[in-house]
Every structure is written in structure tokens, then in C-alpha cells.
Amino acid sequence: MSDIETPQISRGLEGIYIAESRICKVNGAEGRLYYRGYPIEALVKNSSFEETTFLLLNGKLPTRAELDDITRQLADARDLPQGVVRIISEMSGKAESMDILRTATSALSAYDAETADMSPAANFRKSIRIISRMSSIVATIGRMRAGGSYINPDKALGHVENFMLMLNGKAPDKQALDIMKDMFVIHAEHSSNASTFGTMVAGSTLSDIYSAITAGISVLKGPLHGGADEAALKMMKQIGDPSNTESYIESALAGKQRIMGFGHRVYKAYDPRAKVLKEYLLSLQEHSSEEVRRYTAIALRAEKMMIEKLSASHGIWPNVDFFAGPVYVAAGIPVNLFTPIFAASRSAGWCAHMLEYWKDNRLFRPLEKYTGQIDLEYVPIEKRQ
Ligand code: ACO
């Protein structure tokens, strides 16, 4: 393209297809989501994180033997290298949870003999280790933030139950475990969103999978993406009493503020994940604390108002991050772990995309339209004004 041509700029890559993929379909117009062809609602209801991980990585639901095998592989990989535990401990109290997760995940590469091996088989094995260990890292971050120390994983437990054990030092109650099992499936994949694209950009240079996943974590952290779950709950905390909801939203919108947990680049209908979480929250009502009931009341009032005000004019509906906070609170999860848990679950999708993309890799290298000057005369420093 010559300089005098006027290129079409797609800000934020909106509407641009970057690859073909068989992993995930987001139907934004109708608010439908499929992992490998299976509707998210069916997976949340029937599947486990281990099974969903197998599905995402392999493209089909596992047989019993295959499920047992991936369950064992994930369980075998859980224990963290001491060096990584030391990094988490050193950063605890000084850095945000996502910063600790990003650094600790990157550091895992130092303890993996296959880091530089780019064969498909090695990348698959590393994917399993990453998916398994990111949950151990997140649990350990939470544990250390609460003043505790590293809890050894228990191979006899399922992935999510072990996560809860490593986080709390004890087995979870049934309600908390059920919630977290669903959260891990719901967050496991979402096509080429910003963090998956970030992962793929890093991976497309034929860097290694640890670098790619570390990039994904970095991208997920921001409040316009994965960080919105924490931000939405903080807003509910700030609103305080449900009766303040409408005035809060009114003045935030008047001040051109974004209401976190609403809006989506692709969904112009109700995000199906938010629908599942809303129903979940409503079903928990009588079994939840006063705090959760209060957040639920605020969330429902905010949802009603936002839909009335912005759904028709701007196609803005609740996204996955809006109801996630109160659901996590019902499972006893502290706010600073919301986004790290999202990342630990999403590692399955990130790895699936990397394994798929590397089969037919092409370096990502978009263009930008240069609007600055050219051929300026270099002026020595002593002559500059
Ligand atoms: N609250 C109020 N207004 C909003 C919101 C919101 N949450 N989201 C979008 N808008 C408005 C914008 O102000 C803009 O209005 P205008 O046309 O009158 O100027 C219009 O809707 C379009 O907004 P864009 O920023 O162009 O839409 P984009 O596709 O870039 O935004 C995004 C998507 C970033 C998610 C946006 O909706 C947002 O900031 N939401 C809040 C953060 C959030 O919840 N992120 C999580 C998304 S889900 C996930 O990543 C896991």
C-alpha cells in the first residue's frame, strides 16, 4: 500500500477476522456460546473442568479412559516448584494478585525441561502443566495473602476441589465447590478476545508457550477485559445499599463513566454466561449471606436500569463479569482473586488456541497509518530550541 492511499483503519481490530478456528463460536447477535460445538449451558450443567479442558484441547468429549487419563495428568502436575512458591511469597503484600500470577506463571518456564521444545507433543504436555499449575499458583496467592503458607496438593481430589483445598487449607463445603466448578467451566474459553489474541500474538513469533500465556495474563488484567469482575463488585460495594443503585448509575452515566460488567464488543444481546450466573445467584438466595443478598439486590436493580437505558440505544447488556462477583462472594472467594481465577480457568482456552494456531502459524504483524512528519533535518542538541 503506498503512502498516498487511505487505508481502512479498524480501531481495536473491530470486525477483523484473524484466523480460522474450530474451538469456540460466539454468536453475538443471539447471545449464544459454544465450546467445540457444545452450548455453554450444557457444559456448565454436565461437565467438569477436566472434561472441558480435554474437549478444548482435543476437539471432542473424552471417553471414560481419556477423562481418567487427563484427570491424572492434571493432578500429577499440581505441585509448584519451591522457587515459584518463594516468588509468590516474596511478592505477597507488595503486588496485586494478577501481577503475582503473571510473574509466577512466567517463572514456571525455569522449572520445565521442555520450555524450548516446540514439538506439538511437548507443547501439549506443557499445556497440561500450565493449566494445572496456574490454579495452584492462584490458590497459593490467596493463601499467602491470608497469612497462610503453601498447602501441598492432594492428587486424590478433582481440579477445583484441590484448588479450594490449596486456597483455604480445608475441603470446601458443597455449595462453594458447586459454584467454583461452574465458574471454572464458564471461564475456560471465549474465542479470540483480547487476552486470547494477546496470547496468539506472542505465540505467533514462535516464542514459547510460557511467554504466550504470560502475555495472555497481562492482557486479561485490564478492567476493560477480565479485570471487570473485580471492578463490578467494587462498584456494588461503593453503592452500599440497594436503594442507592439508581442514583449511583444515573450520576455515573451522566459523568460518562463506564459501568463495569456491561457491554461487549461481540455480544449485542444478553451474554449467555451472565444469564447462567444470574440464574445461579437467584437460586442461591435463601442459602446465601446478607452480603450476597445485598449485592444481588444491587445487581438486579443496576441490570434493570442499564437495560432500560442502554440496551436499545447501544446494544449494552450485562456481560460475564457483572454477576460473577456476587457468585464468587457466595463461594467465599476474596475480590482480589476474581481475575486470577478467571485466568486460571482461561488457561485451558489459551493453550487450546496456541496448539491450534501453531499447526499453521503465521506471524501477526498488522499495519498502522503513520500520521507524523518525514525527512526532518537532524539538528544537533546544542542548536535545538
Ligand atoms: N457503560 C456505559 N456505557 C458503555 C459501556 C458501559 N459499560 N460500554 C460501552 N458503553 C458505551 C460507550 O460509551 C459508547 O457510547 P457512545 O457511542 O455514545 O460513545 C458505546 O457504548 C460503544 O462503546 P465502545 O467502547 O465503542 O464499545 P467497545 O466495543 O469498544 O466496548 C467494552 C466493549 C470495552 C467491553 C465496553 O463495553 C466496556 O468498557 N465495558 C465495561 C468493561 C467491561 O465490563 N469489560 C468486560 C467485558 S467482558 C470480558 O472481557 C470478559
Side-chain angles (χ1 to χ4, degrees), residues 14 187 190 193 220 222-229 253 256-266 268 271 273 306 310 314 316 319-322 342 346:
E14 182 165 3
H187 285 101
H190 207 239
N193 53 47
L220 187 75
L224 294 187
H225 188 14
D229 51 9
L253 290 179
K256 297 268 173 229
Q257 269 180 49
R258 300 228 160 176
I259 309 299
M260 293 294 148
F262 285 90
H264 199 275
R265 178 64 63 79
V266 181
K268 299 304 168 197
D271 180 336
R273 302 165 301 172
M306 287 293 284
L310 292 177
H314 288 73
I316 287 181
N319 61 50
V320 66
D321 288 327
F322 189 61
F342 187 157
R346 184 57 58 82

Side-chain angles (χ1 to χ4, degrees), residues 267-281:
Y267 289 121
K268 299 304 168 197
Y270 213 113
D271 180 336
R273 302 165 301 172
K275 233 183 232 175
V276 170
L277 292 181
K278 178 183 171 184
E279 279 162 23
Y280 208 119
L281 204 51

Side-chain angles (χ1 to χ4, degrees), residues 21-224:
S21 175
R22 302 178 71 82
I23 299 172
C24 180
K25 167 76 184 161
V26 179
N27 177 340
E30 293 171 22
R32 304 299 314 273
L33 169 63
Y34 307 86
Y35 296 174
R36 298 283 191 183
Y38 294 94
I40 186 67
E41 296 82 359
L43 293 171
V44 172
K45 190 158 171 236
N46 302 303
S47 191
S48 61
F49 182 68
E50 288 89 332
E51 185 180 69
T52 297
T53 297
F54 184 97
L55 174 68
L56 290 170
L57 296 183
N58 295 286
K60 69 172 195 81
L61 286 171
T63 61
R64 167 62 57 197
E66 287 168 334
L67 180 59
D68 290 348
D69 188 44
I70 196 166
T71 301
R72 186 189 45 74
Q73 287 181 45
L74 285 164
D76 283 350
R78 279 176 193 153
D79 204 11
L80 293 178
Q82 273 312 301
V84 173
V85 175
R86 274 197 300 277
I87 287 171
I88 299 171
S89 168
E90 169 62 25
M91 291 180 79
S92 274
K94 300 189 186 89
E96 286 184 29
S97 299
M98 278 300 275
D99 300 341
I100 306 176
L101 174 64
R102 189 189 58 228
T103 306
T105 303
S106 177
L108 286 175
S109 68
Y111 304 91
D112 192 325
E114 294 189 303
T115 292
D117 185 342
M118 286 295 279
S119 66
N123 279 329
F124 190 91
R125 289 191 293 272
K126 283 180 279 181
S127 296
I128 295 288
R129 293 196 277 274
I130 288 170
I131 296 164
S132 174
R133 290 180 185 163
M134 274 179 67
S135 285
S136 301
I137 290 173
V138 174
T140 306
I141 292 170
R143 181 89 191 134
M144 290 187 171
R145 273 188 173 275
S149 48
Y150 183 67
I151 303 272
N152 289 314
D154 181 345
K155 282 190 195 178
L157 301 179
H159 184 85
V160 180
E161 195 171 7
N162 177 72
F163 166 78
M164 297 293 272
L165 170 81
M166 290 180 79
L167 173 62
N168 295 320
K170 59 180 171 57
D173 62 41
K174 184 174 177 327
Q175 177 169 300
L177 181 59
D178 287 347
I179 291 173
M180 293 311 291
K181 280 181 167 174
D182 287 354
M183 293 307 251
F184 267 76
V185 171
I186 242 177
H187 285 101
E189 163 58 13
H190 207 239
S191 79
S192 58
N193 53 47
S195 57
T196 303
F197 182 54
T199 303
M200 290 166 72
V201 171
S204 82
T205 68
L206 299 185
S207 169
D208 65 280
I209 197 157
Y210 286 101
S211 309
I213 300 300
T214 304
I217 297 169
S218 309
V219 178
L220 187 75
K221 178 185 169 188
L224 294 187

Side-chain angles (χ1 to χ4, degrees), residues 142 146 163-164 167-168 170 172-173 175-177 179-180 183 233 284 287-289 291-292 324-338 341:
F163 166 78
M164 297 293 272
L167 173 62
N168 295 320
K170 59 180 171 57
D173 62 41
Q175 177 169 300
L177 181 59
I179 291 173
M180 293 311 291
M183 293 307 251
L233 193 87
L284 288 175
H287 309 288
S288 54
S289 63
E291 188 188 17
V292 175
V327 175
Y328 278 131
V329 174
I333 301 293
V335 181
N336 57 58
L337 288 191
F338 293 178
I341 290 171

